[in-house]
PDB file of all heavy atoms in Angstrom:
ATOM      1  N   ASN A 187      96.711 116.192 119.184  1.00 98.00           N
ATOM      2  CA  ASN A 187      96.877 116.296 120.628  1.00 98.00           C
ATOM      3  C   ASN A 187      95.954 115.320 121.341  1.00 98.00           C
ATOM      4  O   ASN A 187      95.580 115.518 122.496  1.00 98.00           O
ATOM      5  CB  ASN A 187      96.591 117.729 121.104  1.00 98.00           C
ATOM      6  CG  ASN A 187      97.250 118.036 122.434  1.00 98.00           C
ATOM      7  OD1 ASN A 187      98.357 117.573 122.717  1.00 98.00           O
ATOM      8  ND2 ASN A 187      96.577 118.809 123.279  1.00 98.00           N
ATOM      9  N   ASP A 188      95.607 114.256 120.669  1.00 98.00           N
ATOM     10  CA  ASP A 188      94.667 113.270 121.193  1.00 98.00           C
ATOM     11  C   ASP A 188      95.287 112.465 122.337  1.00 98.00           C
ATOM     12  O   ASP A 188      96.506 112.256 122.390  1.00 98.00           O
ATOM     13  CB  ASP A 188      94.255 112.330 120.057  1.00 98.00           C
ATOM     14  CG  ASP A 188      93.263 111.275 120.503  1.00 98.00           C
ATOM     15  OD1 ASP A 188      92.311 111.648 121.227  1.00 98.00           O
ATOM     16  OD2 ASP A 188      93.441 110.107 120.150  1.00 98.00           O
ATOM     17  N   THR A 189      94.441 111.970 123.214  1.00 97.00           N
ATOM     18  CA  THR A 189      94.895 111.110 124.308  1.00 97.00           C
ATOM     19  C   THR A 189      95.112 109.672 123.854  1.00 97.00           C
ATOM     20  O   THR A 189      95.756 108.892 124.543  1.00 97.00           O
ATOM     21  CB  THR A 189      93.865 111.095 125.442  1.00 97.00           C
ATOM     22  OG1 THR A 189      92.617 110.587 124.935  1.00 97.00           O
ATOM     23  CG2 THR A 189      93.656 112.493 126.002  1.00 97.00           C
ATOM     24  N   GLY A 190      94.547 109.327 122.708  1.00 97.00           N
ATOM     25  CA  GLY A 190      94.667 107.967 122.191  1.00 97.00           C
ATOM     26  C   GLY A 190      93.339 107.367 121.788  1.00 97.00           C
ATOM     27  O   GLY A 190      93.265 106.536 120.883  1.00 97.00           O
ATOM     28  N   ALA A 191      92.259 107.772 122.446  1.00 97.00           N
ATOM     29  CA  ALA A 191      90.945 107.189 122.167  1.00 97.00           C
ATOM     30  C   ALA A 191      90.462 107.502 120.757  1.00 97.00           C
ATOM     31  O   ALA A 191      90.011 106.620 120.016  1.00 97.00           O
ATOM     32  CB  ALA A 191      89.929 107.674 123.200  1.00 97.00           C
ATOM     33  N   ALA A 192      90.528 108.767 120.360  1.00 97.00           N
ATOM     34  CA  ALA A 192      90.097 109.149 119.015  1.00 97.00           C
ATOM     35  C   ALA A 192      91.004 108.538 117.957  1.00 97.00           C
ATOM     36  O   ALA A 192      90.547 108.160 116.867  1.00 97.00           O
ATOM     37  CB  ALA A 192      90.077 110.669 118.877  1.00 97.00           C
ATOM     38  N   THR A 193      92.286 108.422 118.284  1.00 98.00           N
ATOM     39  CA  THR A 193      93.235 107.823 117.347  1.00 98.00           C
ATOM     40  C   THR A 193      92.880 106.375 117.071  1.00 98.00           C
ATOM     41  O   THR A 193      92.843 105.937 115.925  1.00 98.00           O
ATOM     42  CB  THR A 193      94.663 107.926 117.909  1.00 98.00           C
ATOM     43  OG1 THR A 193      94.989 109.296 118.094  1.00 98.00           O
ATOM     44  CG2 THR A 193      95.660 107.280 116.974  1.00 98.00           C
ATOM     45  N   ARG A 194      92.644 105.618 118.142  1.00 98.00           N
ATOM     46  CA  ARG A 194      92.285 104.207 117.957  1.00 98.00           C
ATOM     47  C   ARG A 194      90.986 104.076 117.165  1.00 98.00           C
ATOM     48  O   ARG A 194      90.883 103.230 116.263  1.00 98.00           O
ATOM     49  CB  ARG A 194      92.143 103.501 119.306  1.00 98.00           C
ATOM     50  CG  ARG A 194      91.672 102.049 119.140  1.00 98.00           C
ATOM     51  CD  ARG A 194      91.593 101.305 120.446  1.00 98.00           C
ATOM     52  NE  ARG A 194      92.922 100.942 120.911  1.00 98.00           N
ATOM     53  CZ  ARG A 194      93.146  99.950 121.775  1.00 98.00           C
ATOM     54  NH1 ARG A 194      92.143  99.237 122.239  1.00 98.00           N
ATOM     55  NH2 ARG A 194      94.371  99.670 122.161  1.00 98.00           N
ATOM     56  N   ALA A 195      89.994 104.915 117.478  1.00 97.00           N
ATOM     57  CA  ALA A 195      88.719 104.849 116.760  1.00 97.00           C
ATOM     58  C   ALA A 195      88.916 105.139 115.280  1.00 97.00           C
ATOM     59  O   ALA A 195      88.351 104.443 114.420  1.00 97.00           O
ATOM     60  CB  ALA A 195      87.733 105.836 117.372  1.00 97.00           C
ATOM     61  N   ALA A 196      89.716 106.157 114.957  1.00 97.00           N
ATOM     62  CA  ALA A 196      89.948 106.512 113.558  1.00 97.00           C
ATOM     63  C   ALA A 196      90.672 105.399 112.819  1.00 97.00           C
ATOM     64  O   ALA A 196      90.299 105.015 111.703  1.00 97.00           O
ATOM     65  CB  ALA A 196      90.750 107.808 113.480  1.00 97.00           C
ATOM     66  N   LEU A 197      91.708 104.865 113.427  1.00 97.00           N
ATOM     67  CA  LEU A 197      92.463 103.779 112.798  1.00 97.00           C
ATOM     68  C   LEU A 197      91.577 102.561 112.552  1.00 97.00           C
ATOM     69  O   LEU A 197      91.658 101.920 111.501  1.00 97.00           O
ATOM     70  CB  LEU A 197      93.648 103.388 113.686  1.00 97.00           C
ATOM     71  CG  LEU A 197      94.801 104.384 113.773  1.00 97.00           C
ATOM     72  CD1 LEU A 197      95.677 104.096 114.974  1.00 97.00           C
ATOM     73  CD2 LEU A 197      95.630 104.362 112.499  1.00 97.00           C
ATOM     74  N   THR A 198      90.727 102.246 113.517  1.00 96.00           N
ATOM     75  CA  THR A 198      89.849 101.079 113.382  1.00 96.00           C
ATOM     76  C   THR A 198      88.807 101.295 112.303  1.00 96.00           C
ATOM     77  O   THR A 198      88.518 100.387 111.501  1.00 96.00           O
ATOM     78  CB  THR A 198      89.162 100.797 114.729  1.00 96.00           C
ATOM     79  OG1 THR A 198      90.158 100.574 115.728  1.00 96.00           O
ATOM     80  CG2 THR A 198      88.273  99.568 114.630  1.00 96.00           C
ATOM     81  N   GLN A 199      88.228 102.498 112.249  1.00 94.00           N
ATOM     82  CA  GLN A 199      87.211 102.773 111.240  1.00 94.00           C
ATOM     83  C   GLN A 199      87.760 102.633 109.831  1.00 94.00           C
ATOM     84  O   GLN A 199      87.118 102.033 108.958  1.00 94.00           O
ATOM     85  CB  GLN A 199      86.657 104.190 111.428  1.00 94.00           C
ATOM     86  CG  GLN A 199      85.727 104.349 112.610  1.00 94.00           C
ATOM     87  CD  GLN A 199      85.190 105.758 112.720  1.00 94.00           C
ATOM     88  OE1 GLN A 199      84.794 106.361 111.722  1.00 94.00           O
ATOM     89  NE2 GLN A 199      85.176 106.300 113.925  1.00 94.00           N
ATOM     90  N   ILE A 200      88.939 103.178 109.582  1.00 95.00           N
ATOM     91  CA  ILE A 200      89.514 103.080 108.242  1.00 95.00           C
ATOM     92  C   ILE A 200      89.942 101.654 107.939  1.00 95.00           C
ATOM     93  O   ILE A 200      89.792 101.173 106.812  1.00 95.00           O
ATOM     94  CB  ILE A 200      90.698 104.053 108.092  1.00 95.00           C
ATOM     95  CG1 ILE A 200      90.222 105.487 108.315  1.00 95.00           C
ATOM     96  CG2 ILE A 200      91.338 103.916 106.707  1.00 95.00           C
ATOM     97  CD1 ILE A 200      89.065 105.923 107.443  1.00 95.00           C
ATOM     98  N   SER A 201      90.434 100.949 108.945  1.00 93.00           N
ATOM     99  CA  SER A 201      90.800  99.546 108.742  1.00 93.00           C
ATOM    100  C   SER A 201      89.591  98.722 108.325  1.00 93.00           C
ATOM    101  O   SER A 201      89.682  97.844 107.462  1.00 93.00           O
ATOM    102  CB  SER A 201      91.405  98.972 110.024  1.00 93.00           C
ATOM    103  OG  SER A 201      91.679  97.593 109.881  1.00 93.00           O
ATOM    104  N   ASP A 202      88.437  99.027 108.906  1.00 91.00           N
ATOM    105  CA  ASP A 202      87.216  98.289 108.580  1.00 91.00           C
ATOM    106  C   ASP A 202      86.743  98.544 107.155  1.00 91.00           C
ATOM    107  O   ASP A 202      85.984  97.741 106.593  1.00 91.00           O
ATOM    108  CB  ASP A 202      86.105  98.660 109.564  1.00 91.00           C
ATOM    109  CG  ASP A 202      86.362  98.117 110.969  1.00 91.00           C
ATOM    110  OD1 ASP A 202      87.212  97.222 111.108  1.00 91.00           O
ATOM    111  OD2 ASP A 202      85.725  98.613 111.917  1.00 91.00           O
ATOM    112  N   LEU A 203      87.172  99.661 106.540  1.00 88.00           N
ATOM    113  CA  LEU A 203      86.778  99.966 105.165  1.00 88.00           C
ATOM    114  C   LEU A 203      87.549  99.135 104.144  1.00 88.00           C
ATOM    115  O   LEU A 203      87.111  98.955 103.011  1.00 88.00           O
ATOM    116  CB  LEU A 203      87.025 101.449 104.862  1.00 88.00           C
ATOM    117  CG  LEU A 203      86.158 102.486 105.576  1.00 88.00           C
ATOM    118  CD1 LEU A 203      86.619 103.878 105.184  1.00 88.00           C
ATOM    119  CD2 LEU A 203      84.691 102.289 105.247  1.00 88.00           C
ATOM    120  N   ALA A 204      88.727  98.674 104.545  1.00 78.00           N
ATOM    121  CA  ALA A 204      89.643  98.044 103.592  1.00 78.00           C
ATOM    122  C   ALA A 204      89.384  96.552 103.472  1.00 78.00           C
ATOM    123  O   ALA A 204      88.963  95.892 104.408  1.00 78.00           O
ATOM    124  CB  ALA A 204      91.080  98.283 104.029  1.00 78.00           C
ATOM    125  N   ASP A 205      89.657  96.032 102.295  1.00 73.00           N
ATOM    126  CA  ASP A 205      89.618  94.585 102.086  1.00 73.00           C
ATOM    127  C   ASP A 205      91.017  94.026 102.315  1.00 73.00           C
ATOM    128  O   ASP A 205      91.304  93.419 103.316  1.00 73.00           O
ATOM    129  CB  ASP A 205      89.117  94.257 100.674  1.00 73.00           C
ATOM    130  CG  ASP A 205      87.666  94.670 100.494  1.00 73.00           C
ATOM    131  OD1 ASP A 205      86.892  94.533 101.461  1.00 73.00           O
ATOM    132  OD2 ASP A 205      87.315  95.134  99.406  1.00 73.00           O
ATOM    133  N   SER A 206      91.907  94.283 101.350  1.00 74.00           N
ATOM    134  CA  SER A 206      93.275  93.795 101.489  1.00 74.00           C
ATOM    135  C   SER A 206      94.278  94.937 101.539  1.00 74.00           C
ATOM    136  O   SER A 206      95.374  94.774 102.067  1.00 74.00           O
ATOM    137  CB  SER A 206      93.625  92.865 100.315  1.00 74.00           C
ATOM    138  OG  SER A 206      93.456  93.535  99.076  1.00 74.00           O
ATOM    139  N   LYS A 207      93.904  96.115 101.021  1.00 87.00           N
ATOM    140  CA  LYS A 207      94.836  97.239 101.017  1.00 87.00           C
ATOM    141  C   LYS A 207      94.868  97.928 102.373  1.00 87.00           C
ATOM    142  O   LYS A 207      93.892  97.921 103.110  1.00 87.00           O
ATOM    143  CB  LYS A 207      94.443  98.255  99.942  1.00 87.00           C
ATOM    144  CG  LYS A 207      94.666  97.790  98.519  1.00 87.00           C
ATOM    145  CD  LYS A 207      94.336  98.902  97.546  1.00 87.00           C
ATOM    146  CE  LYS A 207      94.616  98.492  96.117  1.00 87.00           C
ATOM    147  NZ  LYS A 207      94.303  99.588  95.160  1.00 87.00           N
ATOM    148  N   ILE A 208      96.023  98.524 102.681  1.00 95.00           N
ATOM    149  CA  ILE A 208      96.143  99.381 103.860  1.00 95.00           C
ATOM    150  C   ILE A 208      95.924 100.809 103.375  1.00 95.00           C
ATOM    151  O   ILE A 208      96.691 101.315 102.552  1.00 95.00           O
ATOM    152  CB  ILE A 208      97.515  99.237 104.523  1.00 95.00           C
ATOM    153  CG1 ILE A 208      97.807  97.766 104.843  1.00 95.00           C
ATOM    154  CG2 ILE A 208      97.582 100.058 105.796  1.00 95.00           C
ATOM    155  CD1 ILE A 208      99.210  97.523 105.341  1.00 95.00           C
TER     156      ILE A 208
END
Side-chain angles (χ1 to χ4, degrees):
N187 203 36
D188 181 44
T189 60
T193 300
R194 176 177 285 202
L197 289 162
T198 302
Q199 286 181 44
I200 300 305
S201 176
D202 290 344
L203 292 177
D205 294 323
S206 57
K207 290 184 177 181
I208 306 173

